Amino acid sequence: MMKKVLLISSQIIRGSVGATAAQFALQRLGLEVWSLPSIVLSNHHGHAHFAGARMKPAQLRPMLEALEFNDWLEEVDAVFTGFLPMPEHVAFAAEAVDLVRAAQPEALYLCDPAIGDDPKGLYVDRAAAETLRLELLPRADVLTPNRFELEWLTAKPVRNATEAIEAIRALQAAHPNGPKTIFATSVPKGQSKLLNMLSSPDGVWRTECDRLDDVPHGTGDLFAAFCLAELLGGAQAPQALGQATAAISILVQEGQGQEELPLVATQSKWSNGKAYSVKPEMVPA
């Protein structure tokens, strides 16, 4: 039976970011996606002009309740949250996770804490980021922060692999009932390389990729989507790390210098898991 994902994030009319990108990737990888938009935008904020509107939780809640009253939430295999611009959106996401788990206790929750990035820093309301730390981290099974987000959430420096591991361990100590599996992306390794790192109950792993300039937006949304698709397909976390790294590498290399990631144009490459692989390296304890 096809796995089903409840996705709560940003909907973009033009471009491959947010729920728009994640939904296509998940569907292309064989998952059914039910998407609730936290915000609807013409395009991402990196362009000169953009327009849109935040969806009020008062508008989203009746839709969620309809799914509940139709007894459909028990079909959900995973909840995936991404861009949540205001505290009330975070509170709605927490409510959605609780409702899904009440109907389907085995449902996985992946939190992509889309609160900011280098070099601009926070791009959501600070209160939303604080609420996410308080309300969503304790609920998450899987967390997918980038370097900036891991540093912000833990108030610890993340300038290299050693500091990333220390920050991950601090986060897990602060939320002992929270995420047991954490994928941290874009961790620096010297001037020319980046690491994607994984902390799981089975150990710490990492993959390496080139640091490239002029990379389009959306890699974080898609990395989280690729990880989730692999996990729901039965892969172990290290395999998910390797496959997600490989898929993102394809998109980044082919999208370098373009306005948007060529998600649709490259789908035959990143959707064929047998055609690519990056072997994760286990990091000694």
Side-chain angles (χ1 to χ4, degrees):
M1 184 178 295
M2 186 176 293
K3 301 282 188 178
K4 299 177 178 65
V5 177
L6 176 64
L7 172 60
I8 306 173
S9 190
S10 54
Q11 179 181 330
I12 308 296
I13 295 171
R14 179 189 183 276
S16 296
V17 302
T20 302
Q23 179 169 350
F24 179 80
L26 291 168
Q27 290 174 326
R28 187 66 179 80
L29 293 170
L31 302 171
E32 184 174 330
V33 182
W34 305 346
S35 185
L36 287 172
S38 58
I39 188 170
V40 179
L41 290 169
S42 57
N43 47 270
H44 65 71
H45 294 182
H47 295 290
H49 306 283
F50 64 90
R54 293 170 180 158
M55 295 293 291
K56 296 179 180 179
Q59 297 171 299
L60 297 172
R61 190 164 289 106
M63 301 182 204
L64 181 64
E65 290 174 347
L67 298 177
E68 178 190 17
F69 298 154
N70 283 321
D71 295 326
W72 290 334
L73 293 185
E74 63 189 34
E75 301 176 16
V76 174
D77 296 285
V79 179
F80 176 177
T81 64
F83 184 73
L84 303 168
M86 299 297 291
E88 48 266 38
H89 293 103
V90 178
F92 171 77
E95 180 182 345
V97 171
D98 291 346
L99 283 175
V100 168
R101 282 187 168 153
Q104 174 49 272
E106 300 303 314
L108 184 74
Y109 172 37
L110 184 148
C111 175
D112 181 24
I115 59 174
D117 202 354
D118 295 316
K120 293 186 177 180
L122 280 179
Y123 50 58
V124 299
D125 183 272
R126 178 171 287 272
E130 294 283 4
T131 306
L132 183 148
R133 177 161 51 192
L134 292 172
E135 297 295 334
L136 297 188
L137 295 195
R139 288 174 164 83
D141 299 302
V142 182
L143 191 71
T144 59
N146 61 33
R147 187 218 68 82
F148 170 83
E149 290 159 349
L150 180 59
E151 187 172 88
W152 194 92
L153 290 169
T154 60
K156 290 186 174 297
V158 179
R159 297 166 294 197
N160 52 52
T162 300
E163 291 184 347
I165 294 170
E166 291 173 354
I168 288 170
R169 287 173 176 164
L171 188 150
Q172 290 176 319
H175 303 282
N177 296 320
K180 301 295 187 291
T181 301
I182 298 180
F183 297 91
T185 61
S186 302
V187 176
K189 181 188 177 185
Q191 297 298 314
S192 62
K193 298 290 184 179
L194 294 173
L195 300 173
N196 295 322
M197 305 196 67
L198 161 67
S199 175
S200 74
D202 295 325
V204 177
W205 308 74
R206 70 182 192 180
T207 54
E208 184 178 299
C209 56
D210 293 329
R211 184 199 295 264
L212 300 175
D213 296 324
D214 299 322
V215 174
H217 294 259
T219 55
D221 307 299
L222 287 164
F223 185 91
F226 290 136
C227 285
L228 181 59
E230 291 293 327
L231 293 173
L232 289 180
Q236 297 299 308
Q239 180 184 346
L241 173 67
Q243 294 296 91
T245 298
I248 291 296
S249 294
I250 290 169
L251 284 162
V252 166
Q253 289 166 6
E254 302 220 6
Q256 192 175 15
Q258 298 185 32
E259 282 190 341
E260 306 289 347
L261 287 171
L263 184 62
V264 176
T266 60
Q267 62 183 294
S268 62
K269 297 180 179 180
W270 55 256
S271 65
N272 184 356
K274 295 180 181 179
Y276 61 85
S277 179
V278 171
K279 185 176 180 179
E281 173 191 357
M282 191 170 191
V283 179

